[in-house]
Amino acid sequence: MENILKLENIGFRYGDKPVLRQINYSFEPGKIYGIVGKSGSGKTTLLSVMSGLAEPSEGRILCRGEDLTARDKYIYRSRDIGVIFQNFNLLTKLTAAENVELSLELSLRSAGQKADPKELYSRAYGCLREVGLGQEEADRRVLKLSGGQQQRVAIARALSYNPECILADEPTGNLDEHTQKEIMEIFRRLADSGKCVIIVTHSSYVAGSADRCIELQQINHLQ
Ligand SMILES: Nc1ncnc2c1ncn2[C@@H]1O[C@H](COP(=O)(O)OP(=O)(O)OP(=O)(O)O)[C@@H](O)[C@H]1O
Ligand SMILES: [Mg+2]
């Protein structure tokens, strides 16, 4: 199976403090990957590097065989990958649907396409429906949605422009077991539809539901 993302000898330092060292991994479509490891082992850092928000100090990332350093990171983030942040990063004063529409509009613009308001509207509602949110919730301000519902909006937003790869940081943190299960069912459906889903997690349930798990080891700074 062809790789979507490939990490080659990735290293990362904050100043002179090494956080990631020699990470080699390939990610295929249609699978769920769990990234696990102790707090401080560099999971969020790795996700930032993979989403083009931070440059690796060593090594390279290939997306469909193309070196990320040669790519416009903005376009990469608005088309190839969908990122779900731990704190959701939603615009809380806007409605759920407006959050999804905005992300879709930015993605279309980055591809030089015009965004027809009617199409934006119907696609946003479609994405929200896919994650189990109806019209009433879609039209509610994000601030007035529950944590689990906001999590769904963050997933819908990442899905809005149909990226091949979804990167999520602790997407089930602070959720009850039942909601966690429902969120994992959404990720499983996405993987079954051919997406590559990469999830950073501390949850043994989420890690156990993944097809593959990558464990990051804390680097001993005195080495
Ligand atoms: N901007 C920064 N500047 C300096 N050090 C940082 C910065 N961000 C993170 N670190 C450090 O890098 C290490 C890895 O952090 P990271 O957030 O990637 O860990 P993590 O595995 O995601 O942890 P957690 O499970 O607690 O979320 C930690 O020691 C952290 O303190
Ligand atoms: Mg983290």
Side-chain angles (χ1 to χ4, degrees), residues 40 42-45 86 169-170 200 202:
K43 303 180 296 296
T44 297
T45 303
Q86 186 170 8
D169 199 351
E170 292 277 6
V200 163
H202 280 291

Side-chain angles (χ1 to χ4, degrees), residues 50-61:
M50 288 170 73
S51 44
L53 292 164
E55 289 277 327
S57 315
E58 283 117 36
R60 60 180 196 159
I61 297 169

Side-chain angles (χ1 to χ4, degrees), residues 20-199:
L20 302 172
R21 189 177 285 159
Q22 299 226 321
I23 309 282
N24 289 285
Y25 217 83
S26 295
F27 299 89
E28 295 171 4
K31 287 202 169 71
I32 298 182
Y33 295 87
I35 299 181
V36 300
K38 284 188 186 143
S39 179
S41 59
K43 303 180 296 296
T44 297
T45 303
L46 181 61
L47 222 58
S48 306
V49 169
M50 288 170 73
S51 44
L53 292 164
E55 289 277 327
S57 315
E58 283 117 36
R60 60 180 196 159
I61 297 169
L62 303 173
C63 175
R64 289 266 177 227
E66 197 183 352
D67 193 335
L68 217 56
T69 46
R71 294 271 324 259
D72 178 322
K73 303 295 186 305
Y74 178 75
I75 292 179
Y76 171 66
R77 276 198 300 278
S78 52
R79 287 188 224 158
D80 299 73
I81 59 162
V83 184
I84 301 164
F85 297 94
Q86 186 170 8
N87 55 3
F88 313 143
N89 279 4
L90 296 168
L91 299 167
T92 52
K93 286 187 180 165
L94 300 184
T95 67
E98 285 165 348
N99 268 275
V100 180
E101 282 179 46
L102 192 63
S103 152
L104 180 55
E105 187 174 3
L106 291 175
S107 175
L108 288 170
R109 281 205 194 154
S110 81
Q113 292 172 28
K114 276 228 175 100
D116 168 48
K118 268 194 191 151
E119 193 201 330
L120 282 181
Y121 183 88
S122 72
R123 279 179 65 178
Y125 281 85
C127 290
L128 288 165
R129 242 192 330 272
E130 257 184 70
V131 297
L133 295 176
Q135 174 102 31
E136 194 272 322
E137 288 138 339
D139 288 330
R140 218 188 294 162
R141 287 189 183 196
V142 163
L143 208 57
K144 296 184 177 175
L145 293 171
S146 74
Q149 289 167 336
Q150 291 184 27
Q151 186 64 73
R152 288 164 201 264
V153 179
I155 297 172
R157 184 179 59 176
L159 294 177
S160 63
Y161 44 88
N162 202 22
E164 286 189 297
C165 194
I166 310 277
L167 305 175
D169 199 351
E170 292 277 6
T172 64
N174 307 317
L175 297 181
D176 63 78
E177 255 176 55
H178 179 73
T179 314
Q180 170 167 271
K181 231 175 137 194
E182 284 182 351
I183 297 282
M184 282 313 290
E185 281 165 12
I186 296 171
F187 285 127
R188 177 53 67 192
R189 274 207 314 275
L190 291 170
D192 287 345
S193 75
K195 306 239 182 269
C196 172
V197 180
I198 303 168
I199 308 174

